[in-house]
Amino acid sequence: MKNKVTKAIFPVAGMGTRFLPATKSVPKEIMTLVDRPLVQYAIDEARAAGIEEFIFVTSRGKGALEDYFDEAPQLEQSLKDKGKTELLELLQSTNMESGQVAYMRQHKALGLGHAIWCARHLIGDNPFAVMLPDDVIAAEKPCLKQMVESYEQTGGHMVAAMEVPKDKVSAYGVLDLKEDMGSMVKVKGMVEKPKAGTEPSNLAVIGRYILAPTVFDHLSKKQTGAGGEIQLTDAIAADIDTDAGVYGYRFRGQRYDCGSKAGFLQATIAFGLARDELSGELEEFMHDILASRKAAE
Ligand code: UTP
């Protein structure tokens, strides 16, 4: 198949300053949403979309992330001895096969675009996915799977997009639309973090992409953009006028910005409520705490 996507890059080399002091020693991607590290949600979504090779762009201090994907023979044996079969299966379902996962270092946090460029030699000639584990998406059909299915028809570059409130849009990469086809839009411009009042729409790019390898041609120029960083948005935008073009994909699902404290807390509540074994107790607690706050007002 022409546009089959089997590799994904997970850029995880950022400093995670919004979660200091926790991120002083714990990589953000390992922080726990209910009972799984953030990165596990991204891995599960990637697998569901047919990804077979997982490439992590890491940095100093991310050892816990690499360890997480190792097998844990002692732990597995102990669960086996105790007959805890369900837990054992759960644990084994997170193991990665040797050769399926690769790590590449970004030596300096020069921006998301630079992080992707660091993985260039591991990609080859086929389109590939980029997933930011900070963006956790609850969806009936996993977001990347929705995109991969549409990408088979479009080719080019595709970015996940969602409408955001006007006062929030300048925190994102924003699309300028040439044609709106409903779930898909054709793009004629992209701006990273536009100044308030200058944004071309309120359709923002979030952390899922399917990119053609031509993006590396632009990234290798190492041009800096918004915030003095090498921006992925700018490299994608450089291909807008090519035949292949750039598409925005309005995914169906709820996205949580787990790179921010408020977003992480919201995701924790939503994912907790979605779990049968937790929802009753959590609902009761929320009801009580909200009632007592109201009474104290
Ligand atoms: P963020 O903008 O969220 O930055 O990066 P951050 O460092 O992770 O977090 P804060 O803002 O300091 O709290 C978006 C994504 O791009 C990756 C991050 O790891 C995250 O997945 N990234 C960013 C890199 O891999 N390298 C970079 O140089 C910058």
Side-chain angles (χ1 to χ4, degrees), residues 146-158:
Q146 296 176 35
M147 291 175 72
V148 160
E149 288 175 2
S150 299
Y151 188 79
E152 281 168 13
Q153 267 90 56
T154 63
H157 300 306
M158 181 181 280

Side-chain angles (χ1 to χ4, degrees), residues 17-32:
T17 52
R18 283 170 288 173
F19 280 99
L20 281 171
T23 43
K24 204 172 141 192
S25 65
V26 183
K28 181 170 60 175
E29 302 71 30
I30 286 294
M31 292 192 339
T32 314

Side-chain angles (χ1 to χ4, degrees), residues 193-249:
K193 300 191 177 58
K195 273 208 195 95
T198 68
E199 54 283 317
S201 74
N202 69 336
L203 197 56
V205 177
I206 62 115
R208 302 286 183 274
Y209 309 75
I210 300 177
L211 303 176
T214 52
V215 77
F216 293 120
D217 301 342
H218 307 292
L219 289 172
S220 63
K221 295 180 189 146
K222 304 212 180 132
Q223 278 165 0
T224 53
E229 297 193 343
I230 300 172
Q231 296 288 356
L232 185 58
T233 310
D234 297 340
I236 297 170
D239 274 344
I240 281 176
D241 293 326
T242 60
D243 287 346
V246 176
Y247 297 86
Y249 182 80

